[in-house]
Amino acid sequence: MAIAFWACSAPLESAAQERTPAGAIASGNAAGTIPAWDGDAHLQAGKVIHEILSERPSIIIDSSNWTQFEDNLTEGHKFLLKNYPGYKMRVFPSRRWYRLPEEFVEATRKHSGKAQVTSKGYLSEINPGLPFLTPKTGEEVIWNHQMRWMGSSRSAVTHWIINLTADRSYTTTKIMDNYQAGPARTLPVGRDDGGALAEHFAYALERTSLAPPRLAGQVTLALESCKDIGTKRYLYTPALRRTYRAPVFGYDNYVGTDGGHFADEFDMFQGATDRYLWRIKGARELLVPYNSFELLSQNSVDSFVSPSMLNPALSRYELHRVIVVEATIKPGTSHSSARRTFYVDEDSWQIVAIDNYHRRGQLWRFLEAHSTFDAASKTMVLSPLVVYSLSNKSALIRNAILGYERPTFGVRFGPHRFDPQNLDQVASTALYDASQSEHLGAGSTETLQ
């Protein structure tokens, strides 16, 4: 299959090109390998998903042929193809059917451009909709990712596969995620959320560990303002029966005991942008994870696993236009990744891949986001997010969602659900609900083969 390459120096905007409501180029590419945006496909979501699951790969890229397609590959994918035995990329026909809710589109038209990125790397104000419909800087692209439509609220049971190594050993955790957008970001716009979040918070994310037993009942609550006060993070531990505020949360602070990811790698990138110099390098046509419905259809955690990697027999890659943003560390600041290259999907503003370079200049971490489009809620579901530690060939697979544990959107949480003082009650309720589910597994911290 011939794949046409769009040079990275291509401009992001042209007055002559029709745009989607999210600001992407509506037309396909000249070669026909990227289709035009289909704004009505969501009306037949069941048919589209059935077609996607019935398709066969147009081509399979592996160690024997990857150089034929290197212009369409991220540096991270090139590294995996060269150095990871058995790694392959199954390439399918591209589909562009992501569509925003109409109210979010109207809010974007009304408020886009009002906010600015402050010297501390946050937004000067939080409004409904995308903050920058036509971003001029790399920081504005990244903030579009952080403020993209993610649903007003949702609940999901997710699985984390930790320290996946070359002998296919790993440990797992099972987590209940609850997400609530702040008042300015819910739909209908400005809906009163009963006081669950202060007005200046963009969202709350509450995570309760369900398994393994030694972690069951631990709760993490993150209140993200996206303004200069940053993230407030609280931890509840059932052994101590107390809640305390985490003193530092952000940048390259490691999260958890596994050392698998940084605080700012939640949702691919989260938090302040002030430690980097940001530059838009242009747009490219790249093979990226997309329409990953086969991954979302699995009924066991082990099906996600191959030695040192996400199971390549389940992954789906499509050719899409992405905005390329390069971040280099500012003088006088520090981060373990001195340079990062972000690849941002033009249709959804989802970061789909990140190349991370160490202070010594070598590529040392690679992240990719596999996602699906939930047409009912008009939300991109990120499942899973994979962090490859390239120096030791280990991987962390986060937010894996099993087929019988699909997310629930539009959840109406109680008015004090995200109050740090109530995390003990949150833990008790989550564990009780999980115990009633016939699908709850005990979980294990033992090595699985």
Side-chain angles (χ1 to χ4, degrees), residues 4-5 27-36 96 285 319 321:
F5 175 63
S27 62
N29 64 359
T33 48
I34 294 178
R96 298 176 61 199
E285 292 180 356
L319 191 69
R321 279 187 295 254

Side-chain angles (χ1 to χ4, degrees), residues 12 66 74 211 260 283 336 350 371 381 390:
L12 294 186
W66 71 268
T74 68
S336 298
Q350 167 74 54
S371 59
V381 179
L390 305 177

Side-chain angles (χ1 to χ4, degrees), residues 280-302:
I280 298 177
K281 297 187 69 176
R284 291 178 63 182
E285 292 180 356
L286 292 182
L287 292 165
V288 294
Y290 224 95
N291 288 313
S292 304
F293 287 97
E294 192 166 358
L295 280 166
L296 201 60
S297 303
Q298 302 306 304
N299 290 322
S300 72
V301 171
D302 194 62

Side-chain angles (χ1 to χ4, degrees), residues 159-434:
H159 300 262
W160 290 38
I161 300 167
I162 301 168
N163 196 27
L164 172 59
T165 59
D167 63 357
R168 206 178 178 277
S169 64
Y170 60 92
T171 58
T172 64
T173 61
K174 184 174 184 177
I175 297 172
M176 170 61 76
D177 282 354
N178 290 313
Y179 166 88
Q180 172 69 63
R185 303 187 66 217
T186 55
L187 294 180
V189 173
R191 176 181 68 81
D192 180 10
D193 66 350
L197 294 175
E199 185 175 353
H200 56 268
F201 281 106
Y203 64 84
L205 179 62
E206 167 205 289
R207 286 186 156 144
T208 304
S209 296
L210 304 179
R214 70 178 181 85
L215 299 178
Q218 289 188 6
V219 185
T220 300
L221 173 63
L223 301 176
E224 178 61 71
S225 76
C226 298
K227 294 181 72 174
D228 286 353
I229 62 172
T231 302
K232 292 183 177 180
R233 185 171 184 253
Y234 300 87
L235 303 175
Y236 171 77
T237 56
L240 299 177
R241 294 186 179 181
R242 60 170 294 192
T243 298
Y244 61 95
R245 183 174 174 182
V248 177
F249 184 72
Y251 305 110
D252 56 347
N253 294 299
Y254 276 114
V255 178
T257 58
D258 57 281
H261 65 107
F262 299 138
D264 66 6
E265 290 177 341
F266 274 106
D267 191 32
M268 297 296 279
F269 186 87
Q270 171 185 285
T273 56
D274 61 323
R275 291 195 182 182
Y276 289 98
L277 298 171
W278 299 83
R279 180 168 67 99
I280 298 177
K281 297 187 69 176
R284 291 178 63 182
E285 292 180 356
L286 292 182
L287 292 165
V288 294
Y290 224 95
N291 288 313
S292 304
F293 287 97
E294 192 166 358
L295 280 166
L296 201 60
S297 303
Q298 302 306 304
N299 290 322
S300 72
V301 171
D302 194 62
S303 62
F304 287 86
V305 170
S306 282
S308 298
M309 71 185 87
L310 179 69
N311 185 356
L314 301 177
S315 300
R316 178 188 177 103
Y317 293 86
E318 298 180 3
L319 191 69
H320 283 265
R321 279 187 295 254
V322 299
I323 301 169
V324 183
V325 175
E326 185 174 81
T328 53
I329 199 71
K330 282 182 179 179
T333 65
S334 65
H335 197 287
S336 298
S337 292
R339 177 165 63 93
R340 299 158 106 169
T341 303
F342 296 83
Y343 304 95
V344 185
D345 173 41
E346 68 163 349
D347 287 320
S348 64
W349 296 103
Q350 167 74 54
I351 297 173
V352 289
I354 311 173
D355 298 325
N356 292 269
Y357 296 86
H358 199 267
R359 300 183 188 97
R360 293 184 294 273
Q362 75 270 30
L363 181 68
W364 76 301
R365 293 166 69 82
F366 176 62
L367 280 70
E368 63 174 5
H370 298 257
S371 59
T372 56
F373 176 49
D374 182 79
S377 64
K378 296 184 173 62
T379 305
M380 292 291 273
V381 179
L382 197 165
S383 176
L385 186 160
V386 188
V387 181
Y388 288 100
S389 296
L390 305 177
S391 58
N392 62 4
K393 287 192 176 180
S394 66
L396 167 67
I397 302 175
R398 286 175 27 204
N399 298 350
I401 299 175
L402 300 182
Y404 55 80
E405 296 172 332
R406 297 292 180 92
T408 302
F409 294 93
V411 180
R412 297 303 296 261
F413 296 110
H416 302 292
R417 176 59 185 254
F418 300 99
D419 186 333
Q421 298 182 19
N422 294 332
L423 296 188
D424 56 343
Q425 183 177 347
V426 167
S428 298
T429 301
L431 291 175
Y432 175 79
D433 291 345

